[in-house]
Each structure stands twice: as structure tokens, then as C-alpha cells.
Amino acid sequence: MPHQGLLLFRMAPLCVLLSMLMVSCFNFCLCHKNSEFALTNPEKSSTKETERKETEEELEPKILEVFHPTHEWQALRPGQAVPAGSHVRLNLQTGAREVKLHYEDKFQTNLKGLKKGKRLDINTNTYTSQDLKNALAKFKEGAEMENSKEDQERQAKVKRLFRPIEELKKDFEELNVVIETDMQIMVRLINKFNSSSSSLEEKIAALFDLEYYVHQMDNAQDLLSFGGLQVVINGLNSTEPLVKEYAAFVLGAAFSSNPKVQVEAIEGGALQKLLVILATEQPLTTKKKALFALCSLLRHFPYAQQQFLKLGGLQVLRSLVQEKGMEVLAVRVVTLLYDLVTEKMFAEEDAELTWDMSPKRLQQYRQVHLLPSLQEQGWCEITAHLLALPEHDAREKVLQTLGALLATCWDRFHQDTQLHRTLGTLQAEYQALAALELQEGEDEGYFQELLDSIDSLLTELR
């Protein structure tokens, strides 16, 4: 027994050493057999880190540049964001994407200046109605502020350059100078003209100054308010030719394109008085001014044209044209007749096409039987004979009137051998003059236009 216990005691360290050796071998074999149980793999760890970063970059929202389309197609560069509602297409020839505004997007161009240069969030791809309202409100506020500033600056500049009228009046009062309005000046001139104590020179000077003021439509109408127009009309009955001349001069300026004054003149008897001056023996200058006033009264006033025909106005003008030494007035009369014929023609055409003219005014034009009256009273022959006048300007106006009367006077023109000879002579004359114009580089000069009018008349009369 003691011998066996000693043996076991000596073998115990060997057993412990053997056990430790077996454990070490087991761990060594296990590590080499299952290498996947290693704590780290540097190569695979680096690859996974790269993939993770790329995934994070793809998931990270990109900041895109705003593309501001217009109503024209424009190429879209990569990385640009397109506002919602825009038209996008692929250009098959270039392969590029192109963008333009939708036609109904009326506010996009106004917002361009506010949005330009900013970045667009990838989650915000449209403008709300509130955004548009806010942008327009800011735009209007800015415009109003700019306008108010401009107005203030302009007013300040005016104040620096000009003084108030009240201050000027005070200064003039101190200098014994009185400032008058146009109305006050016209009242003073009428009183001076109508005063029995005024001399002839003073009356003529008053009428001469008054003509300057009544050119303005408002001043001419103000002349009615205090009876000044009737005073001037009564001046046509004066025994002094100069008073008649300058009174007609004032009336012609006041009648021009002023319907209110024209109506008052007809009611005041101006038409009858002007015809009397033209029908009686008067100086040429007086008849010139009377004819000027008559033309201003008749133009664009169909009621006055009716009264003119009823009072025998065409007979008065015919006698005036046939009077010796009145060739200058003859051209003016022909021009008046041409204006009246074309005015009625255009008025009726406009009424049929646009319906803008009032029925009453159209009815008045239709009651002006001017063309039949011209034919009956021999104006076809009178106008044709005036073509023999030597001045080119006079011939031009006569040719215009012949063209306007052609439909009415065709039979008489066709049978008038003198008219055909005159047209042939003028045709040869203006052919030579037009050729000279052409040599000087004028393709469509003045003489060529006259030649075209003559050729057209000859063609129509064949």
C-alpha cells in the first residue's frame, strides 16, 4: 500500500503536463481548420466600408441648380432641376433634353428674378399658389416704392426748376404786370374788336391775335361761352374788306375739326354770310379767307353740306371758278369737292364694315346728294378744263378729282375730245420727266405718280 501511494504521487505531475499538451494541440487544430472564425479580415472590411460610403452618398439628398425655362426650347444640362409643369422633350437629332415653359404659366417669368441663383431642394419640385402670391406682392410693393420715389424726385426737381403760380403773380403785381388766362385774353380781344371806339387798325390787330388762340379746340369752345363767336360772325357783314377778311380767318381756325363750334356757326348764320362774300365782288385776299372758312365749316359736317347744297353753294363756287383771275381759288375749290366726295364715300364704307358711325350721322351723309348735283351743274366739264393749268400741283389735284368723279362723269369724259387731247399731251410730258427722275435714281418719283394717274384715266376712258 505505501508503495502504490508513492507511485501515484510521482505520476500526478505527468498527467497534468499531458493534459495541458492535449488542450494546446486541440486549440491549434481548431484554429487552422476554421479560419473563418478569425476576428478580422482587413481586405473584406475595406470593401464593405467603400460600399457603405457609396450607399450613403446615393441616399444623401443632392443640391440641384434651378433651371429657369423660357417660352423657347433650351438645352438642359446634367444636374439641373426642372420646375414642375415645364415641357420636357428629347431632341432626336442632338440627343439632348430640352425644356420650355408651359403657355399657361404666366407667373413663372415674374418669379425668375426672385428664384435665380438659388438651390432647389430635391423634395420641393413645384411652387405653391401661396408662393406665387407672396412673390407678386413683394414685386408690387417694390414697384410702388420705386414709383413713389421717382414721383418724389420728379416733384422735387419741378419745384427746384419752377415757382408756384401764386408766387409769380405776387411778383408780377409788385411789377404792375397782370397775368391773364387765355379766356381773359379772348374776352379782352373781343371787347376791343366790338368796341365802337376802336380804330380799324385796333380791330384788325384784335382779330389777328384772336386767331392765334382759337386754334386750340378748348379756346374755340370757350369763345362760345361769352358770345364771342357770334360777334366774329357778325363781323362778316362789315363794310370794311379787311374786317371781313380777318373775321373769316378767325372763323376758319375756330371751325377746323371742332364739331361744337361748327354747329353754333350754322345756327349763327355763318354759312350764308360766307357764301355772300364769295358771290359778291370782293378782293382776292378776302375771298381766299372766306373760302378757307367755308372749307373748315363743311368738312366732316354732313348737315352743313346739306345746307350748302340747298343754299346754292355749288353755283356760287362755279361762278367763282369761272371768274377771271381766280385760278388759285379754282384749285382750292376742286380740292374741296374732292374732299367732300371721298369723305362721303369713306363714311358709307366704314359704316358698312365697322358699324361705328351713329345711324343719325350716317343718315345725314346719305342725304347729301353731292355727285348728282355736280353732274347736273356742269362740274364734269369744269374740272376737266382745269387740267390745262400749268402748275404741277394744280394738275395733281385736278387729276385726283377727275378720278373721284369718273364713275359719275364717265359719259361726258368719254365724249370730251379736248380732255383726251390734254391727257395725251400731259402723258408725253410726264413720260419725259419721269425718265429724268429714273436717271437720277428715283424709281417712284413725283412725276411718275402723275404719269400713273394719267395712264389710269386714259385706260378707263377707252
Side-chain angles (χ1 to χ4, degrees):
M1 288 295 293
H3 178 74
Q4 292 179 352
L6 181 59
L7 181 62
L8 292 172
F9 176 76
R10 291 179 177 179
M11 292 179 64
L14 294 175
C15 292
V16 173
L17 182 61
L18 182 61
S19 299
M20 292 177 63
L21 183 61
M22 291 177 65
V23 170
S24 299
C25 292
F26 178 79
N27 288 336
F28 179 79
C29 294
L30 185 62
C31 290
H32 281 75
K33 185 177 181 180
N34 298 316
S35 59
E36 63 271 16
F37 290 106
L39 294 179
T40 59
N41 190 335
E43 184 176 353
K44 292 187 176 181
S45 177
S46 176
T47 303
K48 291 181 179 179
E49 181 67 21
T50 303
E51 293 176 355
R52 182 180 61 81
K53 289 183 178 180
E54 291 177 354
T55 304
E56 290 177 355
E57 290 177 358
E58 291 177 356
L59 295 177
E60 182 181 358
K62 292 183 179 180
I63 300 177
L64 303 178
E65 180 185 357
V66 179
F67 180 80
H68 299 280
T70 63
H71 291 287
E72 302 293 336
W73 287 108
Q74 293 182 338
L76 181 67
R77 297 194 304 270
Q80 288 183 318
V82 180
S86 302
H87 286 300
V88 182
R89 73 178 184 183
L90 179 63
N91 192 322
L92 298 180
Q93 295 180 352
T94 63
R97 288 191 301 164
E98 297 179 347
V99 185
K100 75 172 183 177
L101 280 176
H102 193 276
Y103 290 113
E104 297 179 357
D105 190 1
K106 298 181 180 179
F107 304 103
Q108 191 70 21
T109 53
N110 292 336
L111 291 173
K112 183 185 293 184
L114 298 174
K115 298 295 184 180
K116 190 174 182 180
K118 295 185 178 181
R119 297 289 181 174
L120 182 65
D121 192 345
I122 193 171
N123 296 321
T124 305
N125 53 9
T126 185
Y127 296 111
T128 64
S129 60
Q130 189 61 37
D131 292 337
L132 296 175
K133 292 180 181 179
N134 294 336
L136 288 176
K138 292 180 181 179
F139 179 77
K140 291 180 180 179
E141 290 176 1
E144 291 176 356
M145 292 178 63
E146 290 180 1
N147 291 336
S148 62
K149 291 180 180 178
E150 292 177 358
D151 292 339
Q152 293 175 0
E153 293 176 357
R154 183 165 54 252
Q155 291 176 3
K157 184 178 180 180
V158 171
K159 289 180 180 179
R160 290 194 302 268
L161 295 176
F162 304 99
R163 298 171 58 190
I165 187 66
E166 299 300 330
E167 294 183 6
L168 294 175
K169 286 183 178 180
K170 291 180 181 179
D171 293 344
F172 281 120
E173 288 176 359
E174 295 176 357
L175 297 173
N176 294 325
V177 177
V178 179
I179 298 179
E180 293 179 307
T181 63
D182 288 355
M183 180 75 164
Q184 294 171 336
I185 294 174
M186 290 191 298
V187 171
R188 177 172 56 81
L189 292 174
I190 288 293
N191 291 335
K192 185 177 181 180
F193 169 71
N194 202 33
S195 175
S196 58
S197 60
S198 298
S199 63
L200 178 61
E201 290 76 11
E202 291 175 337
K203 291 184 177 181
I204 299 303
L207 290 174
F208 182 81
D209 293 340
L210 184 62
E211 188 271 340
Y212 169 78
Y213 289 97
V214 297
H215 270 290
Q216 299 184 21
M217 182 177 293
D218 294 339
N219 288 341
Q221 294 178 2
D222 289 339
L223 196 65
L224 304 175
S225 61
F226 61 91
L229 181 68
Q230 190 60 48
V231 173
V232 180
I233 292 175
N234 294 337
L236 297 175
N237 292 329
S238 175
T239 57
E240 293 290 341
L242 279 177
V243 174
K244 293 180 181 180
E245 176 183 344
Y246 280 91
F249 190 36
V250 173
L251 293 175
F255 296 159
S256 182
S257 302
N258 204 331
K260 186 176 181 180
V261 179
Q262 288 175 323
V263 172
E264 293 294 331
I266 286 292
E267 295 177 354
L271 179 59
Q272 294 90 330
K273 293 178 173 60
L274 290 172
L275 290 177
V276 168
I277 294 175
L278 293 173
T280 57
E281 186 176 354
Q282 301 290 340
L284 177 61
T285 55
T286 302
K287 289 193 174 184
K288 278 184 179 180
K289 295 297 190 294
L291 183 59
F292 163 66
L294 179 65
C295 294
S296 299
L297 181 60
L298 295 181
R299 286 190 175 98
H300 306 291
F301 192 9
Y303 178 75
Q305 296 172 19
Q306 295 178 34
Q307 299 302 313
F308 170 76
L309 295 178
K310 290 180 181 179
L311 294 172
L314 288 179
Q315 292 92 324
V316 173
L317 295 182
R318 182 181 61 187
S319 300
L320 181 65
V321 169
Q322 293 175 341
E323 186 177 347
K324 291 183 178 180
M326 296 295 174
E327 290 79 8
V328 176
L329 297 183
V331 176
R332 299 185 182 186
V333 169
V334 168
T335 304
L336 172 63
L337 296 179
Y338 171 77
D339 291 342
L340 297 181
V341 170
T342 54
E343 177 187 322
K344 179 184 178 181
M345 178 179 64
F346 291 148
E348 292 177 347
E349 290 180 356
D350 291 343
E352 293 177 358
L353 295 175
T354 62
W355 299 94
D356 291 337
M357 185 177 297
S358 64
K360 183 178 180 180
R361 187 174 179 82
L362 178 60
Q363 184 64 26
Q364 290 178 349
Y365 271 115
R366 289 176 175 172
Q367 291 175 357
V368 178
H369 305 294
L370 179 60
L371 286 174
S373 300
L374 290 173
Q375 185 181 24
E376 292 173 1
Q377 297 182 27
W379 279 97
C380 298
E381 293 80 4
I382 294 172
T383 306
H385 295 162
L386 291 175
L387 197 58
L389 292 172
E391 296 82 7
H392 298 299
D393 181 66
R395 292 172 180 176
E396 178 187 8
K397 292 179 172 58
V398 173
L399 287 171
Q400 290 178 345
T401 308
L402 289 175
L405 298 176
L406 184 60
T408 303
C409 302
W410 189 88
D411 291 337
R412 301 191 181 187
F413 288 166
H414 183 69
Q415 298 173 1
D416 192 340
T417 57
Q418 183 179 353
L419 174 61
H420 285 271
R421 286 196 300 269
T422 304
L423 288 173
T425 303
L426 294 178
Q427 184 183 39
E429 178 182 350
Y430 286 116
Q431 282 176 348
L433 294 174
L436 293 176
E437 281 183 334
L438 188 60
Q439 292 177 2
E440 296 175 357
E442 297 184 19
D443 295 338
E444 296 180 358
Y446 176 71
F447 296 121
Q448 182 62 46
E449 292 180 359
L450 293 180
L451 179 60
D452 292 341
S453 300
I454 294 171
D455 292 341
S456 177
L457 278 174
L458 288 173
T459 302
E460 293 291 337
L461 293 177
R462 289 174 183 171

